[in-house]
């Protein structure tokens, strides 16, 4: 009976495409930041793979299920203000999907991935820029910014998991999340 109650209290939140996107770009980040050398074939192709996933995710934000849609979690000023007020009061912010601050960090990470893809392409494929320093500088800045955002994202997921008493990283793996009380 307890298992049935637990099952009834969970809902499917993250669809398989969102979860595959997440694990794919996370894997590419780890591989390219820690294990491959800039300019190597593996580094380049993994970067193109991440950019392809980014393009798919951008489209999915318009045509995917509710939790994947940009309109569901776009970090508007009002949403950010409300979330920050709850953070400062140390009250939980329960919502399905990304919190407004989490959405902002996610958008910044996606922007960093796009910047990495564009600057990497410029360094590798645009003959007129060979020898120019700015694409390499931009690429390094975007990689380090993404690394910082990844650490913030992971720390926030752990802190929010403790605060909400719910394993948020596990929900990205399983696709299921505990339903807020209004959904039960």
């Amino acid at each position: 009976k307890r298992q049935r109650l637990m099952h009834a209290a969970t809902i499917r939140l993250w669809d398989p495409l969102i979860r595959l996107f997440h694990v794919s770009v996370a894997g590419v980040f780890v591989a390219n930041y820690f294990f491959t050398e800039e300019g190597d074939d593996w580094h380049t192709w993994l970067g193109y793979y991440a950019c392809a996933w980014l393009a798919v995710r951008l489209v999915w934000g318009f045509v995917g299920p509710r939790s994947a849609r940009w309109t569901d979690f776009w970090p508007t000023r009002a949403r950010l203000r409300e979330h920050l007020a709850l953070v400062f009061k140390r009250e939980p912010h329960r919502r399905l999907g990304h919190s407004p601050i989490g959405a902002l960090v996610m958008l910044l990470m996606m922007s960093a991935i796009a910047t990495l893809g564009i600057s990497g392409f410029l360094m590798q494929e645009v003959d007129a820029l060979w020898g120019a320093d700015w694409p390499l500088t931009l690429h390094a800045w975007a990689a380090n910014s993404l690394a910082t955002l990844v650490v913030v994202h992971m720390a926030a997921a752990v802190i929010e998991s403790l605060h909400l008493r719910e394993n948020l990283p596990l929900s990205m793996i399983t696709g299921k999340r505990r339903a807020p009380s209004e959904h039960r």
Side-chain angles (χ1 to χ4, degrees), residues 54-70:
L54 183 60
V56 168
R57 177 61 183 98
L58 290 173
V59 171
W60 200 241
F62 295 103
V63 301
R66 180 176 173 229
S67 62
R69 296 208 178 208
W70 303 117

Side-chain angles (χ1 to χ4, degrees), residues 28-141:
V28 168
F29 170 76
V30 168
N32 271 357
Y33 197 81
F34 294 106
F35 299 113
T36 66
E37 292 291 325
E38 276 187 37
D40 285 353
D41 286 344
W42 273 106
H43 187 91
T44 301
W45 286 107
L46 286 171
Y48 288 148
Y49 176 76
C51 288
W53 266 111
L54 183 60
V56 168
R57 177 61 183 98
L58 290 173
V59 171
W60 200 241
F62 295 103
V63 301
R66 180 176 173 229
S67 62
R69 296 208 178 208
W70 303 117
T71 55
D72 183 60
F73 62 84
W74 194 261
T76 64
R77 281 188 184 140
R79 288 176 178 172
L80 286 166
R81 197 173 17 251
E82 177 188 339
H83 187 194
L84 283 170
L86 291 171
V87 167
F88 288 125
K89 291 178 188 176
R90 295 181 185 236
E91 293 179 18
H93 182 269
R94 282 210 146 281
R95 82 175 297 278
L96 294 176
H98 288 94
S99 69
I101 296 171
L104 182 61
V105 171
M106 183 195 69
L107 292 170
L108 290 171
M109 287 190 292
M110 292 173 83
S111 297
I113 293 167
T115 301
L116 285 165
I118 292 167
S119 60
F121 176 81
L122 291 174
M123 288 188 306
Q124 291 286 82
E125 308 297 338
V126 181
D127 293 344
L129 293 176
W130 283 1
D133 288 336
W134 70 265
L136 180 60
T137 302
L138 180 60
H139 198 79
W141 179 84

Side-chain angles (χ1 to χ4, degrees), residues 129-175:
L129 293 176
W130 283 1
D133 288 336
W134 70 265
L136 180 60
T137 302
L138 180 60
H139 198 79
W141 179 84
N144 291 329
S145 297
L146 182 57
T148 301
L149 289 166
V150 165
V151 169
V152 168
H153 174 65
M154 291 170 52
V158 169
I159 290 166
E160 279 300 292
S161 290
L162 294 171
H163 188 69
L164 297 173
R165 295 184 178 140
E166 182 176 1
N167 190 336
L168 297 178
L170 182 63
S171 72
M172 183 54 71
I173 295 167
T174 65

